[in-house]
Amino acid sequence: MKQYLEKLLAREDLSLEEMQAATAAAFDDHVSESERASFLTALRAKGETPAEIAGLVKAVRAQSSQSTNAVAHVMDNCGTGGDGSHSFNISTTAAFVIAGTGVKVAKHGNRSVTSQTGSADVLEHLGVSLSFSKQHVIDMLNDNNIAFLFAPHVLPGIKRFATVRKDLAIPTIFNIIGPLTNPVALDTQLMGAYRRDMLPLLAETLKQLGRRRALIVNGAGYMDEASLAGENHLSLLENGSVRSFTLHPSDVNLPVYANEQIQGGDTSDNARILRDVLNGTPGPHLDTVLLNAGLALYANGAAPSISKGIEMANESIHSGAALKTLNRLVDYSRHAASEVM
């Protein structure tokens, strides 16, 4: 670790390969907590580069026994969290809508950190397993276009940094890499970010990680989701280049709602909201999911425009396809649990 720490303290950037090696070394039992703390703090003080973020992500993914490229053309729509909006589970709900159109979604997620209910909390309440094997994930993606990957289950190595992150009590590189560390090899991605200034940086990072196409969004009110409250800021990675633009709900014929209108509640409340949306109950929750699912379908390339993506999302809900993907995932969870018993 010493050589990499010295470079960082001298405010020199690490290459992707150096960062990958430094992170791999940090996972070693012989590395002290103070060395890990120095590593994260020096990175934060210098400012992380796309190559450094990508190198750390590659090292984290290499620690996972669930890494797989067995399924082609898979996307994720996970966000960083950390926006403090207390919204309902927007990306989790949108994942079923996306899958209902035929696009494969490896939904990465965790329990609540900054919100009342994380994706894992609400899905567990609905009957979805948090401990799928790698083969289960592959089967679900092939059979039902969706799988859920519970971060602590599929990325156990990150626990090595848990103590030092808690002790530091400041945001570090780990606060932004969650959506990047999905162990399933992703082709495309919609990524929400709570920091607007990081959109171009994250787009360049996704480029280094080999995404064919990706869209990073910071919503009105600095949400890590697209919001109907006003202007959303986005960066699109396409054909190796990055283009930034803004999007207002009126640009895609959607109404404006205050972010307070999409706040969630406890696990039971958010599970009810998720099912209401998939049943087509009109209102701000449904329209917010339509916007986010439409953006994901555009990011994936399944839709040629955001407006078309919203149309496809609307059809996924009102045809019953989105709800069917949820019900099948719950059924699959029951069968998977019975195999273990």
Side-chain angles (χ1 to χ4, degrees):
M1 287 289 293
K2 184 179 178 181
Q3 59 180 314
Y4 304 118
L5 281 173
E6 287 179 345
K7 284 193 72 171
L8 292 172
L9 291 170
R11 304 189 70 82
E12 296 179 25
D13 297 335
L14 302 183
S15 69
L16 187 152
E17 291 76 18
E18 286 175 323
M19 187 63 177
Q20 194 168 355
T23 307
F27 279 118
D28 194 283
D29 289 332
H30 297 97
V31 172
S32 67
E33 291 294 277
S34 60
E35 286 178 296
R36 293 191 182 100
S38 299
F39 178 57
L40 295 182
T41 304
L43 266 174
R44 166 75 187 274
K46 179 187 71 66
E48 300 91 347
T49 67
E52 288 167 344
I53 300 171
L56 184 140
V57 167
K58 284 178 176 286
V60 169
R61 291 186 76 250
Q63 291 278 323
S64 175
S65 62
Q66 300 229 12
S67 294
T68 179
N69 59 359
V71 184
H73 307 301
V74 182
M75 78 172 301
D76 191 5
N77 69 328
C78 177
T80 59
D83 62 11
S85 67
H86 303 295
S87 61
F88 75 102
N89 301 94
I90 298 168
S91 64
T92 305
T93 310
F96 293 104
V97 180
I98 300 161
T101 71
V103 171
K104 297 186 187 303
V105 184
K107 182 69 178 75
H108 198 211
N110 208 336
R111 294 197 183 277
S112 172
V113 178
T114 58
S115 61
Q116 291 190 59
T117 304
S119 56
D121 301 305
V122 72
L123 289 177
E124 185 178 49
H125 184 84
L126 289 165
V128 175
S129 173
L130 304 185
S131 56
F132 290 122
S133 70
K134 180 164 71 174
Q135 189 57 52
H136 286 147
V137 169
I138 293 170
D139 291 344
M140 285 185 292
L141 288 171
N142 285 324
D143 297 342
N144 195 34
N145 296 323
I146 192 166
F148 181 68
L149 297 104
F150 181 42
H153 176 66
V154 299
L155 298 170
I158 287 183
K159 291 179 182 178
R160 294 290 179 89
F161 285 89
T163 300
V164 69
R165 289 179 66 197
K166 183 178 180 180
D167 290 345
L168 284 173
I170 59 171
T172 69
I173 190 171
F174 279 91
N175 290 78
I176 60 172
I177 66 164
L180 305 174
T181 55
N182 193 318
V184 174
L186 302 177
D187 178 47
T188 58
Q189 191 160 359
L190 172 69
M191 178 177 175
Y194 73 97
R195 282 182 53 184
R196 189 166 295 171
D197 62 311
M198 295 198 74
L199 297 186
L201 174 72
L202 292 170
E204 289 291 343
T205 301
L206 286 165
K207 177 181 176 180
Q208 297 214 20
L209 289 171
R211 302 295 189 269
R212 174 177 59 83
R213 187 176 163 99
L215 191 61
I216 304 92
V217 58
N218 176 262
Y222 294 90
M223 287 186 64
D224 77 322
E225 314 270 5
S227 165
L228 294 171
E231 193 171 69
N232 298 276
H233 290 249
L234 303 102
S235 288
L236 174 68
L237 169 65
E238 183 179 32
N239 299 322
S241 62
V242 178
R243 173 174 65 89
S244 296
F245 62 101
T246 60
L247 181 76
H248 190 273
S250 61
D251 296 332
V252 287
N253 298 313
L254 286 173
V256 173
Y257 293 103
N259 284 338
E260 289 74 18
Q261 292 179 266
I262 57 167
Q263 287 186 349
D266 61 18
T267 303
S268 178
D269 291 331
N270 283 11
R272 175 186 52 77
I273 292 170
L274 187 152
R275 279 202 172 274
D276 283 348
V277 169
L278 297 190
N279 277 302
T281 302
H285 299 119
L286 173 64
D287 290 339
T288 299
V289 168
L290 288 176
L291 175 59
N292 281 274
L295 286 169
L297 292 167
Y298 175 64
N300 174 266
S305 67
I306 298 169
S307 293
K308 181 60 178 177
I310 292 170
E311 288 179 24
M312 292 170 63
N314 193 52
E315 173 62 21
S316 174
I317 291 172
H318 288 95
S319 69
L323 182 60
K324 183 179 178 181
T325 62
L326 168 61
N327 291 335
R328 290 189 67 186
L329 184 59
V330 171
D331 287 343
Y332 194 100
S333 295
R334 294 194 186 104
H335 292 313
S338 66
E339 291 174 6
V340 178
M341 294 175 65

